[in-house]
Amino acid sequence: MYFCRGSEMEAVEEKKEEQKEEGEQKEEGEQKEEGEQKEEGEQKEEGEQKEDGEQKEEEGEQKEEEGEQKEEELKALEDSSELHDLEKKLSVEQICFPSDVPDFDWSSIDTSELPDSYKTNSPREKKMLRIADHYQRQYTHLCPERKPLFLHPVNECGVEKFVSTTVRPTLLPYTELYHWDGCASFVSDYLTMEPLKSPLTPISLSFKPSSLYSPTTILKYQRGNCFDFSVLLCSMLIGAGYDAYCVNGYATQSICSLDETLEVCPLLRKPQEEVEEPKRDRLCGLRVHAWVLVLSGKREVPETFFIDPFTGNSHSTTNEQFLGIESVWNHKNYWVNMQDCRNGCKDLAFDLSDIVRWEVMLSDTDKPFQRLLGAEKEKELFDRNVDDTEDEEEEEEEEEEIKFAMPSSWVAPIQISPKEFETRCSQGRKVTLYKKAKLEKWAPYLNRNGLVKRLTIYADSNYTNAVEVKEWFKNREDMLDRREVNKQTQMTTEYFSPGHPLGLKVHTYKSMDPQTERVIEFYTETRVDGLQKLAENDSEMKEYFVGRDDFKYFQHTEFRTKKKKVTLVDTRADANSRPIVQIMERFHRNLQKPADEDVAERVFLLEEDVIQLIYHLKNKYITASKKDFFKPAESYRKQSEIMTPDMCVTYQAGFPEQRTKLVPLYKLLQELTEEEKRMKQQVWRSQAEVLKILETRESEEADIKLSASIYDTERNEKKRQEYEAMLNAKKDDLPGQTGQDVDYLAPFLIQIGNPEKLTKKQALRLKEDCLSDFKNRLVAKANIMQARFEKEVEELQKKNQQFQEKRNQLSEEEEAEFLAGYSETMFRIHILALRLDREKQTAPQRYLALEEKLRNDPRIAEHLGHP
């Protein structure tokens, strides 16, 4: 015997064991009581004792018969009374479902505008329903302990439709939806989750079919249960080329109810981080759920996996949250799982061609359930006191089932407008609660500040004490991409995409007041000075550089602190308000100079009038050469320019007693003095730049502007007006341009002086030159596209060869990265092939269209024999 709902059967078996134990205890009590009575009646006659013994034996046999009868009755009620009691209890108990899911009356939806295929069944669909009913009868006879199959629920018009025909494979015109994760993310965001009416079964206990609406209706109202989610997602995945199937099975309470409060948010999850164990669920193994199965093979999928449609997350087929499978289906067929699911889905094999593990409904080689029926079971199944004629008709019906193919989908084409695709979330907003975290999503342009996602991290499970907030933005003209606020340290970090006018990359600060703690990072390719990062507070400024010709990589400036609090207004009036104490620079090694002549560190002690030079270490030396210059007082410098030995202290590594001549030292001191002035000016410019950044950021936040694509004419009003003005400005500046978007003859007319009247020879020449030029351009364009196509194919072959050579050496991350790139390349090849094919098909038509336009052009038509 095969089982699917292992946990459910175990629960029923436990109930049977409890009742059996109660019966045994009762029997033992009665035996004990009878034993006591027997001791009290020892003085009675032997005849009476014999009679009591016979009576006791008869009562024991009677109790044994009653126990067997009770066990049979319990077995018969396993799928009815027991489950009915559980469902009845659930109806009065609170189940953990999202509290913000509003009630919706599906009976009030308007179905009058739906196509006829929604309201009636075609002959092929009717035949499919008869086949399904026949399949159901066989299944029920052979597996009476299992629930009825989910085969033909009613649609929104109350018409029974086979589940496979509700799947409508569709490839939507959005690049994101070409990949499984994009499809899954869209479905989970776009639809609002509704719980099943009964968490234990998709079919009511009266065995009447439940509802399964079309994907088009689900998209229209943006809501549905797990089966609605799965059918829509499966339709999109199959359309994108994946080998995907809808699954009817069983899952944990957290999966079924979209309860992610025990899981760490994916944005915070660390590798191999375990999820907190949920509380024990007494209905474990009984809760019905639908999800999507993606088999390996197509679209370079390396391994079979599940997709939970509620969250859009992928899961391994061995994931312990998926507890069993009843059946799977796609748009072509329907399979019943005949494997043991006592251990969940861990041990399941997903080779649907294996008739031992999967019973298929429509087959080209075997009858449905032919393997299980056999000669004896088939005879038993159809032994119902009917005449031979009815048996023959049923056999003929089974023969027809073998050759029957699944009817095409009755669902209208699935369409998602650009606006709907952009809006994503229902009402433009979605909130998900995780373990001590809340994730909010918004549609682009819904918030005036461009906010599209916010993650709030809490210190408690009640979501009251926020410790950190992360926000994501889109379409901001100031290029702000992300903002992180640490509530405990009051530190804010802003991340910018490339393109900010000041080259900002990251800005970390506690306050927008100047001369407070902050770190600013720049995109170095936008700066001529190579500044990568600037860190400052009230007493110092640190600057980091890359790629400079002078090999400078670090500068540290110390300031004398002030007690008075500095505001942006005060600093704007005097950018040089902080006195500089010292400036220290560090340089990378310049291999073009000897080490003892290549400065490693230069320090300007402004208040002490001292300049220090420390050189790079020479090879095999542990001390570096250095020079200390002591500048004379300002009054002395005005009176004399003589360099004295006490103005410079030098140390030459390896030559401690060697003295440097004063003239070179004097020239070096003069250079350093001038450099000190330039450095002070550079520090002032850096302070002024910080002030400008603060002013700019305040201005940007005070008046946030969102950018729009030039193709988005609805939002980009300015671009739309410019485009319309350009069209209106196009006048007939050149003869013959009336009624034409482009004057094809204009370049050739200019070459011959643009005469007012053409001769026949000129007209023929113009026509030939124009057609020849157009043909060359068509050929050149096709060649370019062909070259790009061949290049992509060549790159794909190289990648595939490299992957095959190094496959055993790659980690899982490297393999996943390669497969993602491989899929992207395949997508580009597919698009290039379509464009190239379209170009080859339309090129002759465009050539003939141009030839016809030239024949009808009034400037040359009279010379070509046309009016």
Side-chain angles (χ1 to χ4, degrees):
M1 180 63 68
Y2 298 90
F3 300 91
C4 180
R5 297 177 293 125
S7 300
E8 178 182 342
M9 295 301 298
E10 290 174 1
V12 177
E13 290 294 336
E14 289 177 2
K15 184 69 177 289
K16 290 166 57 180
E17 290 295 334
E18 291 176 0
Q19 294 184 359
K20 188 174 181 181
E21 289 177 2
E22 291 177 359
E24 292 176 352
Q25 291 176 0
K26 183 177 179 181
E27 185 175 349
E28 290 176 0
E30 292 176 350
Q31 290 177 352
K32 183 177 180 181
E33 183 179 353
E34 290 176 356
E36 293 176 353
Q37 293 176 357
K38 183 178 180 181
E39 290 178 0
E40 294 176 357
E42 286 181 353
Q43 298 179 355
K44 292 184 179 181
E45 298 180 355
E46 295 180 1
E48 292 177 353
Q49 293 177 351
K50 183 176 181 181
E51 183 178 352
D52 290 339
E54 292 176 353
Q55 183 178 0
K56 178 182 177 182
E57 183 176 357
E58 291 176 358
E59 289 176 355
E61 293 176 353
Q62 183 178 0
K63 291 173 182 176
E64 184 176 356
E65 292 177 357
E66 291 176 356
E68 294 177 354
Q69 183 178 1
K70 184 182 294 184
E71 184 175 352
E72 292 178 357
E73 292 175 353
L74 180 61
K75 183 177 181 181
L77 294 176
E78 284 175 358
D79 287 335
S80 56
S81 301
E82 189 70 23
L83 296 182
H84 180 73
D85 293 340
L86 291 174
E87 291 196 6
K88 187 175 181 180
K89 291 179 181 179
L90 282 175
S91 64
V92 296
E93 293 181 0
Q94 183 178 4
I95 304 174
C96 182
F97 288 120
S99 58
D100 59 345
V101 178
D103 294 333
F104 182 78
D105 184 11
W106 283 102
S107 62
S108 64
I109 65 174
D110 182 16
T111 61
S112 60
E113 301 295 329
L114 295 177
D116 292 339
S117 61
Y118 285 58
K119 303 173 183 178
T120 60
N121 280 321
S122 66
R124 289 180 57 80
E125 287 180 297
K126 293 178 181 178
K127 185 173 182 179
M128 187 66 240
L129 294 178
R130 291 196 299 269
I131 293 174
D133 288 336
H134 178 62
Y135 188 87
Q136 182 76 273
R137 289 195 301 270
Q138 294 180 347
Y139 173 81
T140 303
H141 177 80
L142 296 172
C143 304
E145 77 285 353
R146 290 177 62 172
K147 288 184 179 180
L149 297 173
F150 187 62
L151 294 177
H152 43 71
V154 297
N155 65 0
E156 52 267 50
C157 296
V159 179
E160 290 187 19
K161 296 287 186 177
F162 189 70
V163 289
S164 292
T165 61
T166 307
V167 178
R168 183 66 151 86
T170 304
L171 177 61
L172 294 164
Y174 305 102
T175 305
E176 181 181 345
L177 301 186
Y178 185 72
H179 304 280
W180 74 263
D181 51 348
C183 295
S185 175
F186 174 80
V187 172
S188 64
D189 288 343
Y190 192 77
L191 302 182
T192 299
M193 173 266 191
E194 287 187 343
L196 292 170
K197 293 182 180 179
S198 167
L200 302 183
T201 175
I203 303 179
S204 63
L205 291 176
S206 60
F207 303 147
K208 293 181 180 179
S210 61
S211 61
L212 181 64
Y213 292 174
S214 66
T216 54
T217 297
I218 296 302
L219 282 171
K220 179 179 179 180
Y221 294 99
Q222 289 190 255
R223 58 195 312 111
N225 57 40
C226 55
F227 286 84
D228 301 319
F229 274 65
S230 298
V231 170
L232 174 59
L233 177 56
C234 189
S235 300
M236 296 169 65
L237 292 176
I238 295 175
Y242 289 93
D243 192 8
Y245 302 81
C246 297
V247 179
N248 172 24
Y250 306 89
T252 60
Q253 181 179 6
S254 59
I255 289 286
C256 297
S257 59
L258 189 53
D259 181 9
E260 299 180 270
T261 56
L262 297 181
E263 296 189 17
V264 179
C265 178
L267 299 175
L268 302 173
R269 191 172 299 157
K270 299 177 181 178
Q272 299 180 350
E273 185 168 356
E274 295 181 0
V275 180
E276 181 179 339
E277 288 292 332
K279 296 181 180 179
R280 185 178 180 276
D281 181 18
R282 64 188 183 88
L283 296 178
C284 181
L286 303 179
R287 298 181 184 272
V288 172
H289 189 56
W291 64 93
V292 173
L293 165 68
V294 180
L295 297 183
S296 59
K298 289 187 177 181
R299 288 296 305 271
E300 296 83 43
V301 174
E303 186 176 357
T304 298
F305 63 95
F306 294 150
I307 302 177
D308 180 24
F310 282 163
T311 62
N313 297 331
S314 64
H315 300 273
S316 168
T317 56
T318 60
N319 190 293
E320 295 181 352
Q321 297 185 92
F322 298 91
L323 305 177
I325 294 178
E326 289 282 4
S327 58
V328 302
W329 68 89
N330 61 5
H331 61 302
K332 293 183 178 179
N333 218 327
Y334 189 97
W335 294 263
V336 177
N337 177 32
M338 303 305 295
Q339 302 172 76
D340 190 349
C341 291
R342 292 183 185 273
N343 294 325
C345 299
K346 295 179 180 178
D347 304 325
L348 296 187
F350 292 95
D351 180 8
L352 300 184
S353 62
D354 186 349
I355 62 173
V356 175
R357 294 182 172 89
W358 297 93
E359 282 292 348
V360 64
M361 178 172 289
L362 302 179
S363 174
D364 294 331
T365 57
D366 296 302
K367 295 181 181 179
F369 274 77
Q370 185 178 12
R371 175 183 57 79
L372 287 180
L373 286 175
E376 296 181 359
K377 290 189 177 181
E378 190 170 350
K379 179 179 179 181
E380 178 183 355
L381 179 62
F382 296 109
D383 188 11
R384 304 193 187 106
N385 297 324
V386 295
D387 56 21
D388 295 339
T389 304
E390 292 178 348
D391 289 341
E392 291 177 0
E393 291 177 354
E394 192 159 352
E395 289 178 1
E396 292 177 358
E397 182 179 350
E398 290 183 6
E399 292 294 335
E400 292 179 358
E401 292 175 13
I402 298 177
K403 305 175 182 178
F404 188 77
M406 185 68 65
S408 58
S409 178
W410 53 274
V411 179
I414 298 175
Q415 296 179 344
I416 301 174
S417 67
K419 185 176 181 180
E420 291 171 338
F421 180 72
E422 181 186 86
T423 303
R424 301 293 287 259
C425 310
S426 178
Q427 306 300 322
R429 180 174 182 264
K430 179 182 180 182
V431 180
T432 306
L433 296 179
Y434 293 97
K435 181 181 178 182
K436 298 182 180 180
K438 178 173 69 173
L439 180 63
E440 302 167 273
K441 294 182 180 180
W442 290 270
Y445 301 102
L446 184 64
N447 294 316
R448 195 190 68 83
N449 62 351
L451 180 65
V452 295
K453 185 164 60 176
R454 178 166 58 206
L455 174 64
T456 307
I457 305 170
Y458 298 88
D460 60 327
S461 300
N462 296 324
Y463 309 101
T464 56
N465 184 15
V467 295
E468 188 176 2
V469 178
K470 299 182 179 182
E471 297 176 323
W472 286 261
F473 302 87
K474 277 187 177 181
N475 307 308
R476 292 198 33 156
E477 288 192 354
D478 60 6
M479 309 309 292
L480 180 63
D481 181 67
R482 188 167 88 252
R483 178 186 289 134
E484 298 178 359
V485 180
N486 190 314
K487 297 289 186 179
Q488 296 175 326
T489 62
Q490 299 300 315
M491 189 68 73
T492 300
T493 304
E494 297 176 334
Y495 299 86
F496 298 83
S497 299
H500 191 277
L502 299 178
L504 295 181
K505 184 177 183 181
V506 182
H507 183 198
T508 303
Y509 59 92
K510 283 188 175 181
S511 169
M512 290 298 287
D513 292 332
Q515 301 179 13
T516 56
E517 184 178 357
R518 76 184 66 259
V519 177
I520 305 175
E521 297 182 32
F522 301 89
Y523 287 98
T524 55
E525 56 269 20
T526 66
R527 300 188 63 94
V528 296
D529 59 356
L531 182 60
Q532 182 183 41
K533 183 170 70 172
L534 183 151
E536 75 158 355
N537 53 36
D538 61 339
S539 62
E540 63 179 357
M541 177 187 293
K542 297 179 180 179
E543 297 171 272
Y544 303 81
F545 303 88
V546 293
R548 286 177 62 112
D549 295 336
D550 60 1
F551 297 92
K552 180 177 176 180
Y553 69 90
F554 178 69
Q555 178 175 315
H556 181 208
T557 305
E558 291 185 11
F559 303 95
R560 187 187 306 131
T561 58
K562 291 185 176 182
K563 295 182 179 180
K564 178 184 176 182
K565 182 179 179 181
V566 182
T567 64
L568 187 59
V569 177
D570 298 333
T571 314
R572 189 182 296 116
D574 184 9
N576 311 327
S577 59
R578 288 191 290 179
I580 302 174
V581 176
Q582 76 168 32
I583 303 173
M584 186 265 288
E585 302 171 283
R586 289 177 181 166
F587 302 85
H588 287 302
R589 179 77 172 90
N590 183 1
L591 297 179
Q592 301 298 323
K593 297 180 179 180
D596 55 359
E597 295 180 10
D598 187 15
V599 177
E601 183 174 297
R602 183 167 64 184
V603 182
F604 298 95
L605 301 173
L606 303 182
E607 292 186 341
E608 301 175 14
D609 283 336
V610 176
I611 301 175
Q612 297 177 343
L613 298 179
I614 300 176
Y615 295 87
H616 283 279
L617 284 170
K618 294 195 295 185
N619 191 24
K620 298 182 180 180
Y621 278 72
I622 61 174
T623 59
S625 301
K626 62 182 299 185
K627 291 184 177 71
D628 292 344
F629 292 91
F630 302 91
K631 296 190 296 183
E634 185 68 23
S635 59
Y636 178 82
R637 281 181 292 196
K638 291 182 179 179
Q639 296 175 1
S640 174
E641 296 183 356
I642 300 175
M643 179 77 178
T644 60
D646 59 346
M647 294 173 61
C648 180
V649 177
T650 64
Y651 168 75
Q652 191 74 16
F655 305 95
E657 298 180 356
Q658 182 177 349
R659 293 181 177 271
T660 307
K661 294 181 179 181
L662 294 179
V663 175
L665 292 177
Y666 178 73
K667 292 182 178 180
L668 180 57
L669 177 59
Q670 285 184 320
E671 293 176 1
L672 292 174
T673 303
E674 293 299 321
E675 187 64 24
E676 181 181 272
K677 295 179 181 179
R678 289 194 294 269
M679 292 303 303
K680 290 172 64 176
Q681 294 176 355
Q682 188 270 324
V683 171
W684 294 336
R685 286 195 298 269
S686 295
Q687 293 184 79
E689 182 178 12
V690 172
L691 296 180
K692 182 179 180 181
I693 290 174
L694 297 181
E695 292 177 355
T696 302
R697 288 297 300 129
E698 284 189 343
S699 175
E700 290 171 343
E701 288 296 329
D703 184 20
I704 298 175
K705 296 180 180 179
L706 303 181
S707 61
S709 169
I710 59 175
Y711 302 105
D712 189 352
T713 56
E714 182 178 349
R715 293 189 179 93
N716 202 330
E717 181 66 19
K718 180 179 179 181
K719 294 294 182 182
R720 186 182 65 82
Q721 292 177 355
E722 291 178 355
Y723 179 73
E724 291 180 351
M726 180 185 68
L727 293 180
N728 294 332
K730 280 188 175 182
K731 304 297 181 179
D732 297 337
D733 297 332
L734 295 174
Q737 198 170 355
T738 304
Q740 299 182 8
D741 295 331
V742 178
D743 185 4
Y744 296 99
L745 293 178
F748 307 99
L749 286 170
I750 294 175
Q751 293 178 5
I752 61 175
N754 200 12
E756 295 182 1
K757 189 173 182 180
L758 298 173
T759 65
K760 183 174 183 179
K761 182 178 180 180
Q762 289 176 328
L764 294 174
R765 180 64 181 273
L766 282 175
K767 177 191 172 185
E768 292 176 1
D769 290 347
C770 184
L771 290 175
S772 178
D773 179 74
F774 185 68
K775 180 179 179 181
N776 292 336
R777 285 191 285 116
L778 289 176
V779 173
K781 183 179 179 181
N783 289 338
I784 292 174
M785 298 175 68
Q786 182 69 34
R788 290 178 179 174
F789 175 78
E790 293 174 353
K791 182 179 179 181
E792 290 290 347
V793 172
E794 184 179 356
E795 289 294 330
L796 182 66
Q797 292 173 349
K798 289 181 180 179
K799 289 182 180 180
N800 187 42
Q801 183 178 358
Q802 294 173 358
F803 176 71
Q804 296 300 331
E805 293 174 353
K806 300 180 181 180
R807 185 167 190 173
N808 297 330
Q809 304 174 4
L810 298 177
S811 63
E812 292 185 1
E813 294 181 355
E814 291 174 336
E815 186 173 348
E817 182 180 357
F818 169 81
L819 292 175
Y822 190 89
S823 181
E824 289 288 346
T825 305
M826 285 291 296
F827 177 68
R828 290 196 299 269
I829 291 175
H830 176 69
I831 296 300
L832 286 172
L834 291 177
R835 291 178 177 174
L836 182 59
D837 183 64
R838 182 176 58 191
E839 182 67 21
K840 291 180 179 179
Q841 292 179 359
T842 60
Q845 301 173 2
R846 292 160 62 191
Y847 181 87
L848 294 176
L850 176 60
E851 186 178 25
E852 184 64 23
K853 283 185 178 181
L854 295 177
R855 288 181 179 275
N856 294 305
D857 191 299
R859 292 167 293 179
I860 61 175
E862 58 178 338
H863 300 295
L864 301 179
H866 290 265

